[in-house]
Amino acid sequence: MQGIGTDFQELTSYTRKNIGGRGLDWSRKPPVFKRYEAERISLPTPEIEGGTPIWQAMQRRRSFRDFSGSPISLKTLAQLIWATQGGTAVAGDTLFRTVPSAGGLFPIETYLVINRVEGLDPGLYHLFLPEWELEYLSPGNYGRSLAEAALGQGMMDKAAVDFVWTAVIARSAWKYEQRAYRYIYLDAGHICQNLYLACEALELGCCAVGAFFDSEASQLIGVDGKEEPVIYMAAVGKKT
Ligand SMILES: Cc1cc2nc3c(=O)[nH]c(=O)nc-3n(C[C@H](O)[C@H](O)[C@H](O)COP(=O)(O)O)c2cc1C
């Protein structure tokens, strides 16, 4: 089998011959955060004690798709966001987080489609991490449109919140060039696994979503799909 995937794997391989001489142009390092001019909503301080112990959470974790349609609290949402992107240390312009990232470049941006969260109007939000706040990008029933963009997966409309992860390619490609794509996908996987485990700790349902019409998803979130494509999503909600 030969195709774009196998070509990509081959063409982005490190070899002992091509590994040298990769200097970094620090003057061209892209901004580490994306900020929108939008209404700003402070997130509550996340609760990071208690819940299902980690070993049990790993043992019990399962993809869940049959959400009850009940709301979650803003405090719970903040816990989930913290699990996926919470800042835990600072060094220079790098905010280290609950998740690892290749080269500490953190190319993944978090958008939230809020369907049922107490204290938040339904709509599209973006996480502005340095200030631990949400940017309210646009009101509306995004859940339904997101479900359509996700090949008709109705759970995205029934979920309390959908996480939509994009990648700012330049942030990672600045260092890794085309190999950046490998790391971006890996970064996204780490983020989603933390979300799964946090949901398990809070007895919420969670399901990863990799099946979506790429350009429809990008359009809905308001990203260009090339410099910043949608990479991955997850639906989260109450089980009963
Ligand atoms: C990269 C990725 C993409 C996925 N995409 C979807 C999806 O679009 N829809 C869905 O219902 N489940 C999706 N899943 C969930 C898988 O179906 C699920 O993880 C798998 O069946 C194993 O079941 P478990 O998670 O309950 O252990 C995805 C999982 C991964 C890791």
Side-chain angles (χ1 to χ4, degrees), residues 28-86:
R28 299 182 69 143
K29 187 179 184 202
V32 293
F33 297 110
K34 180 171 184 179
R35 186 181 191 278
Y36 285 88
E37 287 308 322
E39 185 187 329
R40 320 197 76 74
I41 296 150
S42 291
L43 283 165
T45 304
E47 172 78 54
I48 53 172
E49 303 267 323
T52 309
I54 190 156
W55 300 106
Q56 285 169 35
M58 282 191 269
Q59 209 267 331
R60 286 184 205 159
R61 185 214 60 79
R62 193 94 292 140
S63 294
F64 185 91
R65 301 171 180 84
D66 190 18
F67 302 115
S68 70
S70 320
I72 62 169
S73 68
L74 186 56
K75 184 170 163 273
T76 297
L77 179 66
Q79 280 177 279
L80 299 176
I81 297 170
W82 188 85
T84 62
Q85 283 290 282

Side-chain angles (χ1 to χ4, degrees), residues 3 11 13-14 17 19-20 28 30 42 62-63 75-76 100 108 120 124 131 146 154 158 170 180 183 197 227 234 239:
L11 291 167
S13 290
Y14 278 162
K17 278 196 181 135
I19 194 77
R28 299 182 69 143
S42 291
R62 193 94 292 140
S63 294
K75 184 170 163 273
T76 297
I108 305 292
L120 290 181
L124 178 65
E131 301 296 334
L146 194 65
K158 197 84 185 283
Y183 297 150
L197 294 177
E227 289 182 15
K239 294 182 179 175

Side-chain angles (χ1 to χ4, degrees), residues 61-63 65 153 155 196 207-211 232:
R61 185 214 60 79
R62 193 94 292 140
S63 294
R65 301 171 180 84
Q153 299 190 69
M155 66 174 163
Y196 264 116
C207 188
V209 172
Y232 204 14

